[in-house]
Amino acid sequence: MTESQSGTWSDSPQAKTDITGRTAFASAAAARINMTPLGSHSTVFGLVGPWGSGKTTLLQDIVGQLAPQTVWFSPWSAADVAAITAEFVSALSEAFPKAKSLKTKLLGYARFGVPALRFIPSAGEAMSGLAQQVLDNVGAQSAWHSEFSVISDEIAEQGVQVVVVVDDVDRLDAGELRALLRVVRLLGRFTNVHYLLAYDQSTIDQLLAASYMGGRSSDFMEKIVQYPFEVPPVPMIERRRWSRAIVSLVVAEDAQQSDELNGPTDDLIRILAAGIETPRAAERLREQLGSFSDLAVLAELDGLDFVAISWLRIAHHDVWDFLRTHADDFQGWVDTDDEEAHVDVKSEVERRVRRGNVKVAWDAVDFLFGGSSFFAAKPGRLRRMRQARYFDRYFLLGLADDDVSDTQTRKAVDQLVAGSLITPEVDAFSDLIMASDGERASLALQVGSEARERDTASLHVITFLWARRAELKERGRLEDYRQSPLERWLGRELALALASGMLSTEDAIDRFGYEFLAASAYGVRRSERKEASLVADAFGGVADRWIAAITSEGLDEVLERPELMVMLSLCAWLKTGVGAGALEPFITSAEELLRVAEAFVVYGTNYGYTIEYSVGFNDSLFRFAIGNALTDEILSTLPLRDSGLDYEVEDRATRDLSPTESRDFTLRSLGELNL
């Protein structure tokens, strides 16, 4: 990982290895080759390691310490199989620039690598003059073993040892590999001519197997290569350094040490270090992250998740593609105990990974989506891939047209809190809320609400939200997807302002009215059940003021109040005793009891294939409101029900009862009460 973090990565080998232990390994390998005595038969050495393990860099280190003359032979640069022998003798002849006769003989020797019969026309076609000439020349020339002996003796007379270095043997196709091994094994085994081949054993095995060669391909290579030098694996500490540097391209090192990211960062580095075994693998991931990290920032992705999914895309593309196309299988893991579903998904992941890499690939998936304590989400890690809203961003590397920027929204909310009501960000946020796309406006409001510091109050935010609500109501757009998140957020802001004393109860009632304040209290209590004390602190004064207000009014005025039911509900929720028996003073007769009770008739809506309605009676709230007014004496003076009425209270086609039906249903409900 010494290459510059800027510029384009070209996969070129480094000038010298920087991997711990490899310098000593190169010296040991070179020393073994140097021990080969002058005059010895041709020996084949091998530098064996997987693709990307740094063989070429290590090869250069070894060659730089060799005593024999070295020449580089590149069979994969030859035009065809026949040209490989010609390329070989051309490379070998460079080792003897002053031996002109030897060079001439070597160039002539190349014909043994060219199958002359390929010039012969197909069966049934008359033999051409060229083909006949080739056969005549072949017949006039010496046999291979004769020329081999002559050249081998002349090479020995030079008193020079030569090492033919062949890199990237595993880049050849099956036919080219056979041609190279033919050269090394048969045509080029001259005295004092040795070979150093660099290759990936598994790739060679596959190529030889594809050539239908008998026996185990690895056994075959043992006959060719007498001294295989296995490239040492990269030490784990080195791989951890690579992984740390890779993560640091996306997540600043000081952020990695924070309480929120310290543990998850260490988890990810452990996974990467286990999965990144070669310098090439590290450089490929580093280059990809360097190229796309700016897009990840714009897409507002969690940095650690972005690194993990990028590694899966490069190292285990089939797993990455499975994640991309099976979003539903990976959502909600943190909240589910369905171990069977996890096992099924794990088996699907394992099917898409090469044997030996299953654990590390699964660990990366579990890092992204798992809910175990080891991989648990930490506070402060926002916009995780496991969250449905952000999942697609990790594949798009951008925001969809109908998405909302968390960063810009947070900036707008922070400006509102600070009192800056007119800024580009605030204007843009306001435009989102007011736009015709109610679904996107709803998302913007949810994101804005989540961006707020929950323990602070802001009159500026209240003013902004109330103004947007008024505008939407005026335009007739309030009652769509955006109403619920807007009023829920506004209710929370009002609760904080009232509880802190930033907003007085009197001002709140004058500005927002009892009905909206009671509805706000209900919304806060429902969405944040753990904060009952906040509801009491914030809206207790509102309940007190309301009770005080209705005591100076008549029954007609009280029953006409639109907030009657929600305010009584608020009083009941507070459980402070405020409001209990609030309507008792108004009930002095059966007729007044009946009028009050009729206000507690409630209507329900049932949605199915059709919309149907039902009628009910809020028994508990009625008892709370009337206190001790319900007595046997007053019940006995209630008028009788009309036995001729016939109406449904369930599965109704229309919502409201008629006045006569409503009165009758109230009488029936009162008659069913137990004192």
Side-chain angles (χ1 to χ4, degrees):
M1 294 289 290
T2 60
E3 190 170 337
S4 171
Q5 301 296 338
S6 60
T8 302
W9 175 59
S10 63
D11 197 24
S12 299
Q14 296 183 18
K16 191 172 181 62
T17 185
D18 63 349
I19 299 174
T20 303
R22 290 200 175 179
T23 299
F25 175 84
S27 297
R32 178 61 191 85
I33 297 173
N34 290 337
M35 289 172 58
T36 307
L38 186 66
S40 62
H41 295 295
S42 180
T43 303
V44 182
F45 302 91
L47 183 62
V48 186
W51 278 358
S53 60
K55 291 192 298 297
T56 299
T57 299
L58 193 53
L59 194 63
Q60 292 175 158
D61 279 1
I62 294 171
V63 170
Q65 302 178 63
L66 292 181
Q69 174 75 27
T70 58
V71 294
W72 290 78
F73 170 34
S74 303
W76 46 267
S77 66
D80 52 34
V81 172
I84 288 179
T85 304
E87 176 69 20
F88 162 70
V89 297
S90 176
L92 182 59
S93 65
E94 292 178 2
F96 311 102
K98 297 181 179 180
K100 294 183 179 180
S101 63
L102 175 57
K103 188 171 184 177
T104 300
K105 291 174 183 176
L106 282 170
L107 295 177
Y109 185 71
R111 73 183 185 279
F112 291 109
V114 181
L117 293 181
R118 70 188 178 92
F119 293 110
I120 299 178
S122 60
E125 183 181 346
M127 186 174 292
S128 67
L130 174 60
Q132 186 62 55
Q133 182 180 354
V134 168
L135 290 179
D136 291 343
N137 289 338
V138 170
Q141 292 170 345
S142 301
W144 165 76
H145 69 275
S146 298
E147 288 200 34
F148 175 84
S149 297
V150 170
I151 293 175
S152 186
D153 290 343
E154 191 164 344
I155 289 176
E157 292 173 2
Q158 304 301 312
V160 176
Q161 288 208 93
V162 179
V163 175
V164 180
V165 183
V166 188
D167 193 11
D168 295 323
V169 173
D170 41 36
R171 289 191 184 183
L172 303 173
D173 63 27
E176 293 167 341
L177 176 61
R178 289 199 308 271
L180 171 63
L181 296 181
R182 182 168 176 261
V183 167
V184 174
R185 178 68 177 169
L186 185 63
L187 299 181
R189 302 206 69 171
F190 303 116
T191 300
N192 288 339
V193 176
H194 311 292
Y195 297 87
L196 177 55
L197 312 180
Y199 57 91
D200 169 35
Q201 182 66 56
S202 63
T203 303
I204 295 299
D205 289 347
Q206 293 172 16
L207 290 170
L208 293 176
S211 301
Y212 303 105
M213 302 187 68
R216 292 173 55 225
S217 52
S218 56
D219 290 343
F220 184 88
M221 285 303 291
E222 288 178 8
K223 298 175 183 177
I224 302 294
V225 180
Q226 289 83 55
Y227 294 95
F229 304 135
E230 290 283 347
V231 175
V234 180
M236 183 56 69
I237 186 63
E238 197 82 26
R239 288 152 64 174
R240 284 186 62 87
R241 291 192 186 102
W242 291 349
S243 301
R244 179 74 69 178
I246 286 169
V247 171
S248 297
L249 290 173
V250 180
V251 181
E253 291 191 14
D254 57 345
Q256 295 176 31
Q257 301 306 315
S258 66
D259 292 340
E260 293 82 5
L261 297 186
N262 193 314
T265 300
D266 286 346
D267 293 342
L268 179 58
I269 287 174
R270 178 187 58 80
I271 294 168
L272 293 178
I276 299 176
E277 301 183 48
T278 67
R280 179 179 294 162
E283 286 295 339
R284 288 184 70 205
L285 180 56
R286 183 199 65 79
E287 188 278 332
Q288 287 288 308
L289 292 174
S291 297
F292 296 109
S293 59
D294 288 346
L295 293 181
V297 171
L298 292 175
E300 303 169 349
L301 308 182
D302 175 84
L304 298 181
D305 280 5
F306 173 61
V307 173
I309 193 64
S310 296
W311 177 72
L312 284 173
R313 175 171 58 84
I314 294 171
H316 303 288
H317 191 272
D318 286 349
V319 174
W320 175 86
D321 197 52
F322 178 67
L323 296 179
R324 181 182 64 84
T325 55
H326 292 76
D328 291 344
D329 291 335
F330 294 94
Q331 297 301 309
W333 275 22
V334 177
D335 302 320
T336 182
D337 294 324
D338 189 352
E339 293 297 330
E340 184 176 345
H342 288 196
V343 170
D344 291 343
V345 172
K346 186 174 183 179
S347 66
E348 289 293 332
V349 170
E350 291 175 350
R351 283 200 312 110
R352 291 164 169 80
V353 181
R354 294 186 300 274
R355 189 167 61 181
N357 294 317
V358 169
K359 183 181 184 305
V360 68
W362 177 251
D363 282 351
V365 173
D366 203 14
F367 177 85
L368 291 168
F369 302 101
S372 65
S373 58
F374 187 71
F375 292 105
K378 302 288 186 179
R381 289 190 68 191
L382 306 174
R383 302 182 286 276
R384 296 291 309 279
M385 191 177 181
R386 66 179 62 176
Q387 296 170 269
R389 181 181 163 223
Y390 302 106
F391 184 88
D392 286 341
R393 290 192 191 183
Y394 285 85
F395 300 98
L396 296 173
L397 289 182
L399 299 178
D401 291 340
D402 58 352
D403 207 340
V404 174
S405 168
D406 296 70
T407 302
Q408 293 302 311
T409 302
R410 178 178 291 275
K411 186 179 295 185
V413 171
D414 288 344
Q415 291 169 351
L416 284 171
V417 173
S420 301
L421 302 181
I422 304 176
T423 70
E425 290 79 12
V426 171
D427 289 344
F429 184 48
S430 178
D431 290 342
L432 271 176
I433 297 173
M434 301 303 300
S436 59
D437 188 343
E439 196 71 70
R440 192 176 184 215
S442 173
L443 177 59
L445 287 162
Q446 292 175 37
V447 174
S449 176
E450 292 167 2
R452 280 284 284 124
E453 292 291 341
R454 292 296 188 175
D455 57 350
T456 62
S458 171
L459 294 180
H460 300 298
V461 174
I462 292 174
T463 298
F464 174 83
L465 294 175
W466 185 251
R468 301 293 82 72
R469 182 183 184 278
E471 289 181 49
L472 288 168
K473 189 173 183 180
E474 183 179 348
R475 297 184 189 182
R477 291 181 179 173
L478 179 61
E479 295 181 1
D480 61 8
Y481 307 110
R482 76 196 90 197
Q483 180 176 10
S484 177
L486 190 155
E487 294 186 348
R488 188 165 56 246
W489 182 7
L490 180 54
R492 173 72 190 195
E493 297 290 345
L494 286 171
L496 290 171
L498 285 166
S500 67
M502 182 177 289
L503 178 66
S504 70
T505 300
E506 292 77 9
D507 288 343
I509 294 171
D510 291 343
R511 186 173 178 183
F512 304 103
Y514 287 114
E515 188 172 12
F516 186 80
L517 290 174
S520 297
Y522 175 78
V524 174
R525 182 70 178 88
R526 183 177 57 182
S527 61
E528 304 186 39
R529 297 184 182 278
K530 294 181 180 179
E531 299 200 26
S533 61
L534 174 62
V535 177
D537 293 342
F539 298 99
V542 175
D544 291 338
R545 285 290 298 258
W546 185 78
I547 294 298
I550 66 170
T551 56
S552 61
E553 297 177 346
L555 180 59
D556 291 339
E557 292 177 281
V558 173
L559 294 179
E560 288 177 1
R561 280 182 172 266
E563 79 280 1
L564 175 63
M565 289 298 108
V566 291
M567 283 304 302
L568 286 172
S569 295
L570 174 61
C571 291
W573 291 336
L574 292 176
K575 297 182 179 180
T576 61
V578 174
L583 302 184
E584 182 179 351
F586 300 100
I587 303 173
T588 60
S589 67
E591 186 61 33
E592 289 170 336
L593 175 66
L594 185 59
R595 289 180 59 198
V596 169
E598 196 167 356
F600 291 83
V601 174
V602 293
Y603 297 90
T605 305
N606 306 311
Y607 297 95
Y609 290 109
T610 60
I611 299 178
E612 297 175 337
Y613 304 94
S614 59
V615 184
F617 185 75
N618 196 333
D619 180 1
S620 60
L621 189 60
F622 174 69
R623 289 179 181 275
F624 172 82
I626 66 170
N628 297 318
L630 192 64
T631 63
D632 288 334
E633 180 181 354
I634 202 169
L635 287 175
S636 65
T637 59
L638 286 172
L640 297 176
R641 293 179 57 196
D642 186 349
S643 60
L645 288 176
D646 184 18
Y647 57 91
E648 298 291 338
V649 296
E650 299 287 344
D651 302 329
R652 290 175 53 82
T654 59
R655 179 182 180 276
D656 295 328
L657 296 172
S658 69
T660 302
E661 292 170 342
S662 177
R663 182 180 176 86
D664 181 77
F665 179 76
T666 304
L667 284 169
R668 184 173 76 175
S669 300
L670 289 173
E672 294 172 351
L673 293 178
N674 294 317
L675 295 181

